[in-house]
Amino acid sequence: MMKKLITLGFAAIVQLMIASCQKGFLDKAPEEDITIEEAFLQRRYAEAFLTDIYAGVPNEIYFTDMAEIQPFVIASDELNVPWPEKFAKLVNRGSWNAFNVAGQIWKNMYEGIRKANIFLKYIELTPLDNTFTQVDKDRWIGEALFLRAFYHFMLMRIYGPVPIMDYAASLDEDFHQIKRRPLDECVAFVVSQCDEAIQRLPMKVVENRHLGRPTAASALALKARVLLYNASPLWNGNPDYTDFTNTDGTALFSTAYAADRWAIAAEANKQCIDQCEQAGYRLFRSASNDPIANYQQLFITNHNEEVLFARNSGRDAWMERCAFPGSLGGWNGWNPTQYIVDAYEMANGQMPITSYTPSGSPVVNTASGYQEAGYVAADDPQGRWQAGVRNMYINRDPRFYATINFNGATFAGHRMEFWQTGADGRGNAGRDYNTTGYLLKKFLDPSVNLSKGEISLKTWIFFRLGEIYLNYAEALNEASGPVGDVYQYVNAIRERAGMPPLPAGLSKEQMRERIRHERRIELAFETHRYFDCHRWKIADQTESGPFYGMNVAAGTHLQDDAFYQRTEFEKRVFQAPKHYLFPIPQAEIDKNPSFVQNPGW
């Protein structure tokens, strides 16, 4: 595996040098040799090499396709797609294994790590001058340290213990000596890299040309998240991995529960909040401070004051193509499940549905005011729904209206028609049909016009302050119970969304469930749900069994009751503890038998 990565790493260097030669940047003729040392003696090549490290940053805006393969939103209980051949659908069916698992994450992350290691080895050769100071060099080093830590974490969150690569391996290395390291060591490594990056990076980007590059805020956020994961049940004293060892007998998971990890995680998240807010980061609010706009515009206002680290995705309409209805030129393809729709509270803060019967029927909380049947007679004065909409979609959490397009909802000047014969229904869609009766609205720019090729600049947010608020509340509750700060930071998220505060007097266990629910709603479709359910060890409940939507094979008009029947669209499979971790691609194990496979695979 590593020999291949080294080859690819040096190939990237060669390509960089050739491209530079072709552009006339070198005094040498293109046919002359240039060593890596000579390259780093010139600032322009050193900076180009640093920029190339960013090529590995995943673009999680693509839930189904492109090189990285990011299956997590579909593999959670949030989303479905109509395309059965996608890798995420293999995960849903339990049909994945070490031979057909998407291996691009393993490959791409280690390529990025390799580039970072080379950069960190040779950057000291780059001379300083009046336009390139030690402060500039420190910032570059901080960026590379952050990216190396970030790439290791991207591997850890799906594979658990991984090889730690903190040096530029030479071609004559004995790569069979590279082994997976205990998870505790992996966590300590990521934390140490973040700590060093924090010292070298500015808290905020000061020049627009650096947007998308990490700051100290990014490193604080990464450290805060990895320590939250480290305190959680999957990584903290998990008895499922008692016998999980390297070939030499080294235990890869500590199975002794460490309660103090929650306090450590709480401290790291509070440090992130305090330092970020001192630097000017805030929970984003729209100009109108309307709760729906606060949430909706957060994801289409690039590099706003809440964002701690995001990937620049360029001018891209992928989100819109996948989530726009067919009548607006889209593919009808990103379909929220009934489970996530049901999870949104009523506007009064009450849960509409408390549980489900074995047949999948909802157990309605009558005190919430939720009605499953019937239709609303008048338009909402605030524009959240129009007359004729099913009662089940009215008076919900404002974030629902910023996140979900439902039957009869109005978006981009178009009223959705998801019933069978409707403009956006299955009968008019072919292969690209809506499978659940819902389309994802979150992340979409309503000004995009697919038919005219009018698209907008996109970013994908990896870390934002709202997540850190909820991280802190969760860790502090686990460490100290529902003390004042726990309420304060959860309620800050709810207040921004126009929701009432949590009730006083919750127990630690009750608060745990409220925080988990708040994460489910606030961080919906941002890749968190999959990893939250895994780190909490509840994915066997959330990712298995029958999944429901509306009856998309029925209906001839908006108020046709036949469409609003909860209908199973698939049964999903989750095998515990096997599916809590990805299998390492078998091709990588074949290259290096020193790698042990994850349990169950």
Side-chain angles (χ1 to χ4, degrees):
M1 180 275 299
M2 288 307 302
K3 187 173 291 186
K4 181 178 180 182
L5 295 187
I6 289 168
T7 302
L8 288 167
F10 278 106
I13 298 168
V14 172
Q15 290 169 1
L16 175 64
M17 298 306 123
I18 291 173
S20 299
C21 290
Q22 290 172 339
K23 292 179 182 179
F25 290 154
L26 288 176
D27 293 331
K28 292 187 175 189
E31 67 272 17
E32 291 186 76
D33 292 331
I34 180 170
T35 66
I36 188 68
E37 291 86 354
E38 291 170 329
F40 273 84
L41 287 173
Q42 300 188 55
R43 176 189 173 184
R44 70 190 69 180
Y45 294 143
E47 185 170 21
F49 199 98
L50 172 63
T51 301
D52 193 46
I53 302 173
Y54 285 84
V57 175
N59 200 354
E60 293 187 353
I61 198 171
Y62 298 109
F63 298 163
T64 52
D65 290 279
M66 303 303 172
E68 297 96 349
I69 308 297
Q70 305 295 329
F72 311 113
V73 173
I74 300 164
S76 75
D77 58 358
E78 295 178 313
L79 201 69
N80 191 52
V81 293
W83 309 300
E85 74 279 4
K86 303 303 181 184
F87 172 67
K89 299 303 293 178
L90 291 180
V91 177
N92 292 156
R93 297 191 294 268
S95 302
W96 55 315
N97 54 54
F99 294 91
N100 66 11
V101 67
Q104 283 300 122
I105 296 174
W106 179 277
K107 173 181 175 292
N108 290 353
M109 295 307 97
Y110 275 115
E111 284 186 17
I113 290 166
R114 172 64 181 164
K115 293 174 187 177
N117 288 336
I118 293 172
F119 177 87
L120 291 167
K121 179 178 180 179
Y122 291 106
I123 185 57
E124 292 304 328
L125 298 176
T126 307
L128 303 176
D129 57 35
N130 291 336
T131 62
F132 183 58
T133 66
Q134 187 61 50
V135 172
D136 297 322
K137 182 178 284 191
D138 282 343
R139 178 171 55 81
W140 286 9
I141 293 171
E143 290 178 26
L145 289 168
F146 171 84
L147 291 170
R148 182 164 70 177
F150 180 76
Y151 292 151
H152 276 90
F153 175 66
M154 291 290 105
L155 292 161
M156 292 158 56
R157 67 179 187 165
I158 62 172
Y159 297 116
V162 295
I164 298 173
M165 293 304 299
D166 58 354
Y167 64 97
S170 62
L171 289 173
D172 59 358
E173 292 269 346
D174 180 2
F175 300 111
H176 291 132
Q177 296 303 309
I178 298 173
K179 295 181 173 65
R180 302 177 71 173
R181 302 306 307 154
L183 187 59
D184 289 354
E185 291 184 18
C186 297
V187 170
F189 174 72
V190 171
V191 169
S192 70
Q193 300 298 282
C194 289
D195 284 340
E196 187 172 351
I198 290 165
Q199 300 305 312
R200 295 176 180 270
L201 292 168
M203 277 298 295
K204 298 191 82 172
V205 168
V206 294
E207 297 181 54
N208 284 342
R209 69 188 183 93
H210 293 148
L211 288 173
R213 294 183 181 271
T215 60
S218 311
L220 284 162
L222 173 56
K223 175 182 175 180
R225 190 189 294 180
V226 74
L227 288 172
L228 179 74
Y229 279 36
N230 195 44
S232 301
L234 184 67
W235 287 11
N236 188 4
N238 188 348
D240 294 334
Y241 300 134
T242 300
D243 299 323
F244 185 23
T245 66
N246 266 336
T247 54
D248 61 4
T250 301
L252 294 176
F253 273 86
S254 172
T255 55
Y257 176 72
D260 65 336
R261 291 186 183 181
W262 288 112
I264 294 169
E267 181 181 5
N269 279 277
K270 188 59 162 62
Q271 179 188 38
C272 180
I273 292 169
D274 290 345
Q275 293 192 27
C276 287
E277 291 185 339
Q278 288 169 13
Y281 294 94
R282 298 287 184 270
L283 292 185
F284 173 84
R285 291 179 185 268
S286 65
S288 65
N289 199 27
D290 173 77
I292 297 175
N294 286 345
Y295 193 69
Q296 186 174 19
Q297 293 178 22
L298 165 60
F299 304 100
I300 58 177
T301 305
N302 295 333
H303 305 293
N304 62 70
E305 65 265 30
E306 184 167 338
V307 177
L308 307 182
F309 182 60
R311 185 193 194 280
N312 293 327
S313 300
R315 289 198 172 272
D316 194 290
W318 186 260
M319 280 281 181
E320 286 79 17
R321 288 192 182 98
C322 289
F324 267 38
S327 58
L328 293 180
W331 299 332
N332 301 301
W334 283 354
N335 310 146
T337 68
Q338 192 66 46
Y339 287 130
I340 185 64
V341 169
D342 291 346
Y344 286 87
E345 295 173 13
M346 303 300 287
N348 59 16
Q350 293 277 335
M351 284 298 299
I353 292 166
T354 57
S355 61
Y356 299 91
T357 67
S359 65
S361 298
V363 177
V364 174
N365 174 16
T366 55
S368 71
Y370 175 80
Q371 298 180 59
E372 185 87 359
Y375 305 89
V376 66
D379 293 351
D380 174 52
Q382 300 177 49
R384 292 172 293 174
W385 60 81
Q386 290 179 280
V389 161
R390 189 81 163 180
N391 281 328
M392 64 194 297
Y393 304 132
I394 70 170
N395 294 321
R396 306 294 288 271
D397 181 327
R399 289 170 291 189
F400 173 76
Y401 302 103
T403 304
I404 307 293
N405 271 323
F406 51 89
N407 201 32
T410 298
F411 175 73
H414 169 73
R415 197 164 191 192
M416 303 292 175
E417 299 183 1
F418 294 144
W419 60 87
Q420 162 72 7
T421 60
D424 311 307
R426 182 171 182 172
N428 292 305
R431 182 175 185 267
D432 296 334
Y433 71 93
N434 186 324
T435 62
T436 67
Y438 304 100
L439 282 174
L440 183 62
K441 182 178 181 181
K442 183 174 176 175
F443 312 119
L444 302 187
D445 183 347
S447 69
V448 164
N449 189 317
L450 295 177
S451 63
K452 295 182 179 179
E454 297 172 357
I455 59 179
S456 59
L457 287 168
K458 292 288 196 301
T459 62
W460 176 262
I461 301 172
F462 282 104
F463 300 102
R464 61 181 177 95
L465 195 58
E467 176 212 339
I468 308 302
Y469 275 28
L470 295 176
N471 290 356
Y472 174 53
E474 179 184 347
L476 186 60
N477 182 61
E478 296 298 332
S480 305
V483 296
D485 266 12
V486 176
Y487 277 93
Q488 176 184 336
Y489 285 94
V490 177
N491 284 338
I493 295 292
R494 292 176 65 82
E495 188 275 330
R496 192 256 300 265
M499 291 296 288
L502 296 179
L506 296 175
S507 68
K508 178 178 180 178
E509 292 71 25
Q510 290 171 328
M511 180 61 81
R512 177 187 298 140
E513 292 309 309
R514 295 303 296 257
I515 291 170
R516 290 184 176 186
H517 179 266
E518 200 65 35
R519 291 183 69 90
R520 184 179 190 182
I521 299 304
E522 175 67 20
L523 305 176
F525 306 99
E526 296 178 47
T527 311
H528 289 281
R529 178 66 175 170
Y530 177 90
F531 292 105
D532 280 349
C533 291
H534 281 236
R535 68 183 177 87
W536 295 329
K537 290 188 67 180
I538 64 169
D540 56 328
Q541 305 164 42
T542 62
E543 295 175 20
S544 65
F547 272 66
Y548 298 90
M550 294 289 95
N551 186 5
V552 297
T556 59
H557 55 89
L558 177 62
Q559 296 189 358
D560 190 334
D561 288 350
F563 172 83
Y564 298 98
Q565 302 303 308
R566 292 165 180 261
T567 303
E568 180 182 323
F569 63 82
E570 77 177 346
K571 279 188 169 66
R572 294 186 176 179
V573 175
F574 187 95
Q575 299 176 34
K578 176 180 178 179
H579 287 158
Y580 276 108
L581 296 176
F582 269 45
I584 293 177
Q586 188 61 41
E588 302 300 334
I589 291 181
D590 291 343
K591 295 171 191 173
N592 186 352
S594 297
F595 291 157
V596 292
Q597 183 58 277
N598 276 330
W601 296 102

